[in-house]
Amino acid sequence: MELSNWNIPVLALRGLTVFPHMNLTFDVERPISIAALERAMETDQDIFLVTQREIGTAEPGEADLYEIGTVSHISHLLRMGSTVRCVVEGSQRARLKRLWQTTPYLQANVEAIPEETYSEAFQRSPRTEALLRQTYTLFGEYAQMAGGVADEVLSTVMDSRDPGFLADYIAQNISLRYTDKQEILEEFSPYIRLRKLNGFLARENNVLGFEHEMESKVRDQLVRSQREQILRTQIRVLQNELGESEETETDELTAYREKITALKLDEETEKHLLKEVTKLSKQPFGSAEGAVIRNYLDVCLEMPWNVETRERLSVEAARKVLEKDHFGLEKVKERILETIAVRQMNPDAKGQILCLVGPPGVGKTSIAISVAKALNRKLARLSLGGVRDEADIRGHRKTYIGAMPGRIIEAISRAGSMNPLLLLDEIDKLGSDYRGDPAAALLEVLDGEQNYAFRDHFLEIPVDLTKVLFITTANTTDTIPRPLLDRMEVIRLSSYTDEEKLQIAKRHLLPKQLAAHGLKKGAVRMGDDVIRAIIRDYTRESGVRLLERRLAAVCRKADMRLLTGDVKRITVTENDLPKLLDCQPYPPALHTDREEVGVVNGLAWTEAGGEILEVEVNVMEGSGKLELTGNLGDVMKESAQAALSCLRSRAAALNLPADFHKTLDIHVHFPEGAVPKDGPSAGIAVTTAMLSALTGRKIRAGVAMTGEVTLRGRVLAIGGLKEKTMAALRNGIGTVLIPKDNVRDLEEIDPTVRSALHFVPVETVDQVFAAALCPEVSAPVHEERPVAAFAPLPGRENGGDAALRQ
């Protein structure tokens, strides 16, 4: 075929070269290449196969293609999804003159290059014979070293006498770089082409020779190392039998000894670790005991021995950090600053153990984090809630499968220093079972006189914990064992007032939620009155967690409005809150603003803060039974019995019939019956409710009370006054009756609460009756009296107060 200035499709090859008179199978993926193949098949044309200069070029132009290629005939096409597999047969060399089309496929003007031929005499000349013999020899060596050369290829090479065909055939069927193959394709002289191929074959043979040599060396080295390992293991076994020690040490043992010596540990610890290394040297290769010792040494060496962070002992710096991170809690921050001041005056003082006790959400954990930041100490947090195994604290013996150090040692290792701040969270939630009592294991850890040589069961070496600052958190001290509580200095965090919650929301919570929801500072406007409404009507808690969730709900709704509407700024009003928060405000307390008979507002202390604990009493004609309901504990039941006895002893002074305890049934009920309640501090509330029901005298509106009553009518002190008074203020109470012995506790109450409430100290039940009961009215003692509904009061009262827990 005459190809001068002939236009045919072009297929650009990546990393491939096609030689004349050779068959080649390859896959095509590019759309321009598939289009070129289909065009050639449709028009029954040949196609020009030319190699790209750079494999990575996705859309080649004329400058990206080599000039010399091969005109080929397409034998077969097979579609395989998005890929086309084609079989082509090379026809003759050709030169690319001009690439004049690039889309939808490549098409160019190409010019055929005629094959050079030699006479038969030249082909039989000694020079040609020598070149052919050299080719046969080199290709035979290549086939032997490379492997995988087909017998058909080898026989074709040995039977061929044509230098040009031989060069093309060998180059097509061996692994050469595509640039080398292109160089052979571009050589038109058969003699020179074969000579170049011989040069490439010689180079490939050298490379293959080096590869075989390297493989042989690696194989020999592996065999030699395995042989040495087997011999060493045999020597160890023989030496163990003879009781002798190995004179030569492995690199691993030497590294262990060097690391132990470099740590400069105390004599006892260093001697113990070196002894473990000696044990390891006597273990046979691959033994389970050897793996246990290696794990033990690795854990011991990961400990930050003699590594300490430089403590920043500055009261002013700590004050700035605490003031920045927390609002309110003045006494708590002052007590922490006093601890830092002591360490500033005496840096060698032993680490103190502080216990932060308070309701959930008041900032116990965040205060501990701020202290670590202020002191420049590494922080490691341990959550002790639900821990029931002593080994979690003290570790397992290293001989057990899966043994690991205890949480204390693991936390120090995680902190990376020997003087970290360890935060033991929820220490009041520790449990115990047949595996031991973890609280007992903490007795040594949290004792400054003993923890200078704390021994973990896994490490078995003393660890000095005196430089560690321990801070624990708890919701209540009642569930902490007394010996453990005695080792800690308790710092109590009380509930936040509404004003404190407002400032915390403005300074910390709202900016945090705006940033978390992708809102700019001015995207949501929320006045103080709106935040106060959320605090007052939509949250009833001691901390601020629920308040933060309410603010997050507002931010989520703001995101939706900003994305779906045309508004650029949202102003939240109090009327918008029910829709934004997807809930209705808490209903007001039913019995705080009206006078009723037989219904008294008591005050209860719970782990979550203070609550209103209503007491309802009904009197009916009967045989003198006293019925108590409301899931009461033994102490509260006995308190109700004491209240009845107190009224019986004062029946004449209170204008009660002398036989009322025989002719009337008294039913005392504490609503929210599914919630356990216990403690004696509802004594005066029960007594007052009984007297109100018996006499028909109403209880003054806006009055709440707390106090224990005795058979003689004395009112005894109670605990949790701060939380109880905050609960009274939240529920609209104006007057609170408290035992006279608790007057000294009023100094600890927030000034806002103290100024908003009227406190009436009482010593006897007579004073309680005078302050709580309305003037006497004429009503029969057996008249049926209304009983009010009761609003849910979650929580629990401990420490001598009613226990409320869902």
Side-chain angles (χ1 to χ4, degrees), residues 500-539:
E500 287 176 335
K501 290 181 180 180
L502 172 64
Q503 297 300 326
I504 292 171
K506 289 170 59 178
R507 300 184 186 187
H508 301 285
L509 303 183
L510 186 56
K512 175 184 174 183
Q513 290 303 320
L514 289 175
H517 291 79
L519 295 168
K520 295 182 179 179
K521 187 175 181 181
V524 177
R525 288 185 175 180
M526 191 180 301
D528 290 0
D529 56 334
V530 178
I531 299 178
R532 283 195 175 94
I534 295 175
I535 296 170
R536 180 185 65 250
D537 299 333
Y538 294 89
T539 64

Side-chain angles (χ1 to χ4, degrees), residues 596-608:
E596 292 195 48
V597 175
V599 180
V600 175
N601 295 311
L603 295 175
W605 181 93
T606 72
E607 292 181 2

